């Protein structure tokens, strides 16, 4: 393991605006840390089994109303990649600087949508209107009492 490439955090926020005060809005990520044992091959000037990169993979899913669905991170992992580094004897231009060599270390970030199959759209049925309406439902707006006519005439004038 390469402690210099350790990640300084242990959780990621589920939402884009997860509160740092609410622990329930954060998930722990998993680390895929293979046992990397570098091997030097002097004949080819290669170091095999070197750490050459780190991949951050975030798995998200849609939550909420279908028309306003929000993406929520449901899983996260960090994978360390191993590869081969080759030390060339120069740059092809006649220079043979054995003291320095630059190697590429890459970091990749990917967002993968979680798919459990086809999304099921559920629309609950509309509640039925009551068939029986009581006769005094619109009282005092309906009827022939003088009080009703008086209040309506005041409202109109």
């Amino acid at each position: 393991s390469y402690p210099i490439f350790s990640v300084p955090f242990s959780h990621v926020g589920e939402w884009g605006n997860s509160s740092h005060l609410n622990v329930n809005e954060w998930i722990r990520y998993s680390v895929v840390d293979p046992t990397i044992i570098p091997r030097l091959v002097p004949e080819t000037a290669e170091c095999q089994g070197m750490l050459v990169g780190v991949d951050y993979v975030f798995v998200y899913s849609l939550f909420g109303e279908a028309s306003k669905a929000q993406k929520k991170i449901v899983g996260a992992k960090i994978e360390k990649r191993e590869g081969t580094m080759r030390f060339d004897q120069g740059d092809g231009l006649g220079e043979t600087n054995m003291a320095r060599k630059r190697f590429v270390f890459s970091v990749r970030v990917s967002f993968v949508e979680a798919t459990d199959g086809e999304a099921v759209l559920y629309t609950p049925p509309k509640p039925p209107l009551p068939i029986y309406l009581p006769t005094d439902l619109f009282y005092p707006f309906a009827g022939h009492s003088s009080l009703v006519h008086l209040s309506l005439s005041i409202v109109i004038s």
Side-chain angles (χ1 to χ4, degrees):
S1 179
Y2 295 85
I4 194 169
F5 297 116
S6 64
V7 182
F9 50 88
S10 61
H11 290 72
V12 293
E14 294 176 327
W15 304 101
N17 61 348
S18 294
S19 171
H20 66 282
L21 301 174
N22 187 353
V23 201
N24 297 324
E25 292 182 358
W26 294 78
I27 58 171
R28 181 175 285 280
Y29 61 83
S30 63
V31 178
V32 179
D33 196 2
T35 304
I36 297 176
I37 302 172
R39 297 171 301 284
L40 174 64
V41 182
E43 299 82 29
T44 58
E46 291 179 344
C47 288
Q48 298 174 345
M50 297 293 293
L51 182 65
V52 296
V54 175
D55 295 333
Y56 293 88
V57 181
F58 299 98
V59 181
Y60 69 90
S61 186
L62 298 175
F63 281 82
E65 291 182 37
S67 64
K68 299 177 187 174
Q70 301 291 316
K71 294 178 181 174
K72 176 182 178 183
I73 294 178
V74 293
K77 70 177 175 177
I78 297 175
E79 295 180 343
K80 296 182 180 176
R81 281 183 285 118
E82 76 174 85
T84 301
M85 294 183 177
R86 182 177 172 87
F87 189 85
D88 296 329
Q89 298 282 335
D91 57 6
L93 301 174
E95 176 141 355
T96 58
N97 184 359
M98 297 292 287
R100 290 184 169 196
K101 172 68 178 174
R102 291 185 180 173
F103 294 101
V104 176
F105 180 81
S106 63
V107 176
R108 296 186 295 200
V109 178
S110 59
F111 291 86
V112 180
E113 185 173 5
T115 54
D116 292 333
E118 239 180 82
V120 178
L121 183 62
Y122 172 72
T123 306
K126 294 180 181 177
L129 290 176
I131 297 172
Y132 169 75
L133 297 176
T135 55
D136 61 348
L137 179 69
F138 296 106
Y139 178 82
F141 304 109
H144 298 290
S145 72
S146 61
L147 181 62
V148 171
H149 292 292
L150 179 63
S151 64
L152 286 177
S153 64
I154 292 173
V155 172
I156 293 173
S157 54

